[in-house]
Amino acid sequence: MAQLMRFDNDEDGEQRLPRNVEAEATFLGALLIDNRVAEDVQIRLRPEHFYEPLHGRIYEQALKLLDRNMVATPVTLKPYFEADEAMKVLGGPSYLAKLTGDGAGLIGARDFANQIYDLALLRELVSVGRTLVDSALDTSESVDPKEQIEEAETALYRVSEGDAQEGGVKSFLMASTEALNNVERAFNSGGKVSGITTGLTDLNAKMGGLHKSDLLILAGRPGMGKTSLATNIAFNAASRYMRDIADGIAPEDSLGARTAFFSLEMSADQLATRILSENAEISSEKLRMGSISRDEMHRLALASRELQDLPLYIDDTPALTIAALRTRARRLQRRNDIGLIVVDYLQLLQGSGRANDNRVNEISEISRGLKTLAKELNCPVVALSQLSRAVESREDKRPQLSDLRESGSIEQDADIVMFIFRDEYYHLAVKPDDPDENSTEEQKAKYLAWETDHQSKVGKATVIVAKNRQGSTGNIQLSFQSEFTKFGDLAYGDAPEGY
């Protein structure tokens, strides 16, 4: 085969690039002898993975013929290469017949394909390295070193994921197989969860859990419990994953997920305190003050030991840009196989700097970046968001989509928009004065009516699903224990083990 490989299109600077032109020719020969070779490799191996462009064109044309249910042989390929200049250099279309002269490639066709693919990734890595060096040598004032690092990490991530070349097209067979897997997961969970569990039965029933590549916005006014609910969801997903793995369930079949929590508002130890408070059933305020008994300290230590292997990773770096967050998320997924990302909260992220003069454009860039991240890492992203003060000026304090702060693009980019609302919070604002011995009967009756009404609102929260690309909208009633910042199902308390 060696005498067939006289390609003269290598420039001096390309001589050291990783390649094996002989392996490419041998693989193509095997493919043209037995077209079934393509069945195992065509999803992964693409024409651009071939170092020699002519080989890439031969492979591409062979796949086109196979897609039309035609046979790919030197004879059927000949008309497409009669005018090919590179083919003429090698003696014309007779080169196709020479490729099939040695059938040895049939034995290890898949191995040849894997080597061609791996060498293509190495060449892409070389390209990334060259670009990185060239960029690093640019010392002009307009250059931002941190931005260069983020771009380099993005390029390296694409190479590591085998996505250096533009791709991402899925056949309907692949898409439908994935859809059926999701249905099977929902069926096995009792018809409730096809994605990652939130740990809340009613919320799972409304959304089917948290689904891959979805951007979920959880919004609310200050004091409503956004961070508390997000922390509960993150903890429930991580703890479910830990239990499933301990029970021998395969990671891909778990209803939980390794979770990354980007906290731009609270520190990592504050979030950990919330989680420990919930699991040890000790008031978070008592933990902050240190006013706990010896028995409570023992419970706290026990909860800490039980959760020491919890796959929940907290990044509390302040003032992150959307590019830096995406870089950190990719790194976490590469190292820890992250399956869920929570961001608290969206308005504390910063844009690239190009749109900073316009806050609406900056928020649009951030929301698009979060949606891109969800699709790129193929995992759900839950982003918390503030609401505008327009809510406070209305008699009905329940939030709506138009209240999303600073940009309509948040609503547009999100797959699901949820609002959290606690009527108890606003009802306290209209509390009448406590009655005393000087109060009139009317004042006492007014206070009693308020207190009766207030008791019906205490410990309850409403999650309003205002947008749901995959299903229905509506309200979910949850219980809320403010002492432990813990959410649960209103009817059942804690969610059953199955969810």
Side-chain angles (χ1 to χ4, degrees):
M1 289 295 291
Q3 74 248 14
L4 300 179
M5 301 300 109
R6 292 178 181 172
F7 295 102
D8 299 322
N9 56 353
D10 284 349
E11 298 179 3
D12 292 341
E14 303 297 311
Q15 290 296 327
R16 297 177 62 186
L17 281 178
R19 80 271 198 184
N20 189 339
V21 180
E22 287 78 9
E24 294 177 4
T26 304
F27 168 77
L28 289 174
L31 173 62
L32 297 182
I33 294 172
D34 184 356
N35 291 170
R36 290 175 298 180
V37 168
E39 295 175 2
D40 294 333
V41 302
Q42 64 177 324
I43 292 176
R44 188 183 190 207
L45 187 64
R46 299 194 297 271
E48 55 267 31
H49 291 143
F50 288 80
Y51 176 79
E52 168 50 47
L54 174 60
H55 288 164
R57 293 196 295 274
I58 293 172
Y59 179 67
E60 182 178 23
Q61 190 58 52
L63 293 184
K64 288 181 179 178
L65 291 178
L66 294 176
D67 285 343
R68 299 205 300 264
N69 290 322
M70 296 177 64
V71 178
T73 67
V75 175
T76 56
L77 286 173
K78 179 181 177 180
Y80 302 99
F81 292 94
E82 288 180 333
D84 191 292
E85 294 299 326
M87 185 79 79
K88 289 179 181 178
V89 174
L90 298 172
S94 61
Y95 176 69
L96 295 169
K98 293 178 182 179
L99 288 173
T100 60
D102 184 358
L106 288 170
I107 299 174
R110 182 179 295 179
D111 292 334
F112 287 119
N114 288 338
Q115 187 182 70
I116 294 168
Y117 176 83
D118 291 342
L119 291 172
L121 291 188
L122 289 175
R123 290 195 297 275
E124 185 64 24
L125 187 59
V126 171
S127 176
V128 170
R130 287 176 176 172
T131 302
L132 178 59
V133 170
D134 291 341
S135 299
L137 291 174
D138 184 358
T139 57
S140 59
E141 291 185 2
S142 61
V143 173
D144 183 354
K146 290 185 178 180
E147 186 174 336
Q148 287 187 1
I149 293 172
E150 290 163 3
E151 291 175 355
E153 286 202 338
T154 299
L156 287 171
Y157 174 81
R158 289 173 180 163
V159 174
S160 70
E161 293 298 303
D163 194 27
Q165 310 290 342
E166 287 298 322
V169 177
K170 291 185 178 179
S171 67
F172 184 75
L173 174 61
M174 294 172 64
S176 60
T177 300
E178 188 171 342
L180 286 174
N181 289 337
N182 291 335
V183 173
E184 185 179 6
R185 281 166 58 89
F187 176 78
N188 291 337
S189 70
K192 299 293 184 182
V193 186
S194 58
I196 296 169
T197 183
T198 64
L200 301 166
T201 307
D202 294 337
L203 196 56
N204 282 340
K206 172 61 70 174
M207 304 188 305
L210 311 175
H211 295 93
K212 294 178 179 179
S213 78
D214 274 3
L215 172 60
L216 300 94
I217 299 295
L218 174 58
R221 289 294 294 159
M224 291 295 105
K226 297 187 300 298
T227 300
S228 297
L229 180 55
T231 304
N232 277 221
I233 290 172
F235 171 77
N236 291 338
S239 60
R240 177 57 187 266
Y241 181 88
M242 187 170 63
R243 292 203 314 270
D244 285 350
I245 297 304
D247 291 340
I249 298 174
E252 61 271 17
D253 294 329
S254 173
L255 292 180
R258 293 174 172 269
T259 304
F261 199 112
F262 289 90
S263 178
L264 287 84
E265 187 175 36
M266 298 176 64
S267 65
D269 61 286
Q270 287 175 322
L271 281 174
T273 299
R274 286 191 174 207
I275 293 173
L276 290 173
S277 166
E278 175 186 333
N279 284 271
E281 296 187 348
I282 304 172
S283 166
S284 56
E285 183 176 353
K286 290 177 69 176
L287 287 181
R288 285 194 300 270
M289 301 297 293
S291 56
I292 58 176
S293 65
R294 186 173 298 276
D295 177 64
E296 289 172 329
M297 189 65 196
H298 176 72
R299 295 209 314 266
L300 185 65
L302 182 62
S304 179
R305 284 198 300 271
E306 289 176 349
L307 298 178
Q308 63 184 357
D309 296 324
L310 184 72
L312 176 59
Y313 307 90
I314 302 172
D315 187 328
D316 59 359
T317 307
L320 279 176
T321 64
I322 181 61
L325 183 141
R326 289 173 63 183
T327 297
R328 289 168 179 265
R330 293 188 198 101
R331 191 182 304 155
L332 274 169
Q333 190 183 64
R334 188 166 63 248
R335 295 176 178 175
N336 301 299
D337 195 24
I338 294 300
L340 170 63
I341 296 172
V342 180
V343 181
D344 181 17
Y345 57 91
L346 186 151
Q347 281 81 9
L348 288 178
L349 285 170
Q350 298 178 8
S352 62
R354 293 185 293 271
N356 282 355
D357 58 331
N358 187 315
R359 183 59 176 166
V360 172
N361 290 342
E362 185 180 19
I363 292 295
S364 298
E365 178 192 355
I366 292 168
S367 65
R368 282 195 304 271
L370 291 173
K371 176 57 183 175
T372 301
L373 178 65
K375 294 192 69 176
E376 184 179 358
L377 301 190
N378 195 31
C379 72
V381 174
V382 179
L384 278 60
S385 176
Q386 292 281 19
L387 293 178
S388 68
R389 289 191 176 91
V391 176
E392 311 296 339
S393 63
R394 294 197 305 264
E395 184 175 346
D396 182 3
K397 308 298 185 184
R398 290 176 179 267
Q400 52 197 32
L401 288 172
S402 59
D403 296 324
L404 284 170
R405 188 173 173 181
E406 293 173 312
S407 178
S409 66
I410 298 176
E411 174 191 349
Q412 177 182 322
D413 294 327
D415 297 281
I416 294 176
V417 178
M418 300 181 293
F419 300 110
I420 183 168
F421 173 76
R422 290 196 299 124
D423 207 6
E424 173 190 359
Y425 179 89
Y426 291 106
H427 199 247
L428 282 170
V430 295
K431 178 183 177 181
D433 294 334
D434 293 344
D436 54 27
E437 64 275 8
N438 298 320
S439 300
T440 64
E441 290 301 319
E442 182 181 356
Q443 289 172 326
K444 291 178 181 179
K446 183 178 179 181
Y447 181 85
L448 181 61
W450 176 90
E451 187 175 37
T452 302
D453 190 23
H454 188 70
Q455 289 304 315
S456 67
K457 304 178 188 300
V458 171
K460 296 178 182 178
T462 302
V463 173
I464 304 168
V465 180
K467 176 186 178 182
N468 188 354
R469 220 167 246 162
Q470 305 292 340
S472 62
T473 58
N475 298 346
I476 301 105
Q477 299 296 325
L478 300 176
S479 66
F480 177 63
Q481 294 175 270
S482 57
E483 186 179 11
F484 307 136
T485 64
K486 180 179 180 180
F487 282 86
D489 292 297
L490 191 61
Y492 309 106
D494 294 340
E497 284 291 308
Y499 301 115

